[in-house]
Amino acid sequence: MGNTRLTWLGHSCFQIDAGGTTILIDPFISENPKASVRLEELEPDIIAVTHGHSDHFGDTVSIAQKTGCTVVCIHEISQYLKSKRIKTSGMNIGGKIELAGIHFIMTDARHSSSIDESGWGFDGGRAAGFVIKFDDVSIYHAGDTAVFGDMDLISKLYHPDVAILPIGGRYTMDAKDAAFAVEMLRPKIAIPMHYNTYDVISQDPNIFAQNVKSLSTADVIIMEIGSYIIL
Ligand code: NI
Ligand code: MN
């Protein structure tokens, strides 16, 4: 640990900078009322998209067209992006790929997926999460999901040091359920996301932190939008 910078850009969007490579997860920027950066500032080498919903798929197309970066995503979204001549690395749940020396493992998520960009019901395949592994640190970004028992298996297989989890409720698990996710995942650090972007997902992250304390030894880091931590 010590070489990886993790920045929260709001909602479920995180940027990871490690060893000269920049990864952007779920780049929902231009339509995000709470975004802390402008689209033009982003120059990722890789974008990882958890599912097709607009608050995750977000600005993937425009960023990828501008930068020529590679998009890591599930097969169906990959097909959609290829039709727009975007470079992709398609995969599916349980699969592993390596790009620029970084390992991406696509995990299950209990959620739906459709690509909202083209209107109703364009098939986005399944919703997913990612474990992203560097030399010395493993980060699990859950995407949108309910809590599920196989988070215990994700822990056993991939040993995430950091778990980034949605806590907003309504469309995902809430601050109570997400604490049980932390208990199963056994990370060193748990970071809440996907809350307070809109009124319908308002949630107090301190409640998440309190709930985690009663179930796990993980440190909860409540990040400010635009801030980063070093891992
Ligand atoms: Ni969603
Ligand atoms: Mn969402």
Short mmCIF file of all heavy atoms in Angstrom, two decimals, residues 51-56 111-113 127 144 171-172 194, ligand 1:
data_model
loop_
_atom_site.label_atom_id
_atom_site.label_comp_id
_atom_site.label_asym_id
_atom_site.label_seq_id
_atom_site.Cartn_x
_atom_site.Cartn_y
_atom_site.Cartn_z
N HIS A 51 -22.60 -0.89 -14.99
CA HIS A 51 -23.85 -1.23 -15.68
C HIS A 51 -24.34 -0.03 -16.49
O HIS A 51 -23.73 1.04 -16.45
CB HIS A 51 -24.91 -1.75 -14.70
CG HIS A 51 -25.40 -0.78 -13.66
ND1 HIS A 51 -24.58 -0.27 -12.67
CD2 HIS A 51 -26.61 -0.23 -13.46
CE1 HIS A 51 -25.29 0.54 -11.89
NE2 HIS A 51 -26.52 0.60 -12.35
N GLY A 52 -25.43 -0.24 -17.23
CA GLY A 52 -25.84 0.74 -18.24
C GLY A 52 -26.61 1.94 -17.75
O GLY A 52 -26.79 2.90 -18.50
N HIS A 53 -27.09 1.93 -16.52
CA HIS A 53 -27.91 3.05 -16.04
C HIS A 53 -27.15 4.36 -16.16
O HIS A 53 -25.93 4.42 -15.93
CB HIS A 53 -28.37 2.80 -14.60
CG HIS A 53 -29.34 1.66 -14.47
ND1 HIS A 53 -29.57 0.99 -13.29
CD2 HIS A 53 -30.13 1.08 -15.41
CE1 HIS A 53 -30.47 0.03 -13.50
NE2 HIS A 53 -30.82 0.07 -14.77
N SER A 54 -27.90 5.43 -16.46
CA SER A 54 -27.25 6.69 -16.84
C SER A 54 -26.42 7.28 -15.71
O SER A 54 -25.47 8.03 -15.97
CB SER A 54 -28.30 7.69 -17.30
OG SER A 54 -29.24 7.90 -16.27
N ASP A 55 -26.73 6.96 -14.45
CA ASP A 55 -25.92 7.51 -13.35
C ASP A 55 -24.63 6.71 -13.13
O ASP A 55 -23.89 6.97 -12.17
CB ASP A 55 -26.74 7.60 -12.05
CG ASP A 55 -27.29 6.27 -11.58
OD1 ASP A 55 -27.75 5.46 -12.42
OD2 ASP A 55 -27.28 6.02 -10.35
N HIS A 56 -24.33 5.78 -14.05
CA HIS A 56 -23.07 5.01 -14.00
C HIS A 56 -22.36 5.03 -15.35
O HIS A 56 -21.19 5.37 -15.44
CB HIS A 56 -23.36 3.56 -13.56
CG HIS A 56 -23.98 3.52 -12.20
ND1 HIS A 56 -23.26 3.23 -11.08
CD2 HIS A 56 -25.25 3.80 -11.79
CE1 HIS A 56 -24.06 3.34 -10.01
NE2 HIS A 56 -25.27 3.68 -10.43
N HIS A 111 -28.92 -6.29 -9.15
CA HIS A 111 -29.42 -5.03 -9.69
C HIS A 111 -29.82 -5.30 -11.13
O HIS A 111 -29.63 -6.41 -11.63
CB HIS A 111 -28.29 -4.00 -9.59
CG HIS A 111 -28.71 -2.58 -9.80
ND1 HIS A 111 -29.49 -1.90 -8.91
CD2 HIS A 111 -28.43 -1.70 -10.81
CE1 HIS A 111 -29.67 -0.67 -9.36
NE2 HIS A 111 -29.05 -0.53 -10.51
N SER A 112 -30.40 -4.30 -11.79
CA SER A 112 -30.74 -4.45 -13.21
C SER A 112 -29.77 -3.64 -14.05
O SER A 112 -28.92 -2.94 -13.52
CB SER A 112 -32.18 -4.00 -13.45
OG SER A 112 -32.32 -2.63 -13.09
N SER A 113 -29.91 -3.74 -15.36
CA SER A 113 -29.06 -2.93 -16.25
C SER A 113 -29.78 -2.72 -17.56
O SER A 113 -30.29 -3.65 -18.16
CB SER A 113 -27.72 -3.62 -16.50
OG SER A 113 -26.90 -2.81 -17.33
N ALA A 127 -26.09 -6.22 -14.36
CA ALA A 127 -25.30 -5.27 -13.56
C ALA A 127 -24.17 -6.04 -12.88
O ALA A 127 -24.31 -7.22 -12.58
CB ALA A 127 -26.18 -4.61 -12.51
N ASP A 144 -24.02 -0.85 -8.32
CA ASP A 144 -25.31 -0.79 -7.63
C ASP A 144 -25.69 -2.21 -7.26
O ASP A 144 -25.71 -3.09 -8.12
CB ASP A 144 -26.40 -0.25 -8.57
CG ASP A 144 -26.44 1.26 -8.65
OD1 ASP A 144 -25.68 1.93 -7.94
OD2 ASP A 144 -27.25 1.78 -9.44
N TYR A 171 -32.62 2.12 -4.56
CA TYR A 171 -32.13 1.41 -5.75
C TYR A 171 -31.02 0.42 -5.40
O TYR A 171 -30.60 -0.38 -6.25
CB TYR A 171 -31.59 2.41 -6.78
CG TYR A 171 -32.63 3.38 -7.25
CD1 TYR A 171 -32.68 4.69 -6.75
CD2 TYR A 171 -33.61 3.00 -8.18
CE1 TYR A 171 -33.65 5.58 -7.17
CE2 TYR A 171 -34.58 3.89 -8.60
CZ TYR A 171 -34.60 5.17 -8.09
OH TYR A 171 -35.56 6.05 -8.51
N THR A 172 -30.53 0.53 -4.19
CA THR A 172 -29.41 -0.33 -3.73
C THR A 172 -29.63 -0.62 -2.24
O THR A 172 -30.59 -0.15 -1.64
CB THR A 172 -28.05 0.39 -3.84
OG1 THR A 172 -28.01 1.46 -2.88
CG2 THR A 172 -27.80 0.94 -5.24
N HIS A 194 -22.93 6.52 -3.61
CA HIS A 194 -24.31 6.41 -4.11
C HIS A 194 -25.32 6.84 -3.06
O HIS A 194 -26.28 6.14 -2.76
CB HIS A 194 -24.59 4.97 -4.59
CG HIS A 194 -25.63 4.84 -5.66
ND1 HIS A 194 -26.97 4.72 -5.38
CD2 HIS A 194 -25.55 4.81 -7.02
CE1 HIS A 194 -27.65 4.60 -6.52
NE2 HIS A 194 -26.81 4.66 -7.52
NI NI B 1 -28.36 1.32 -11.39
#
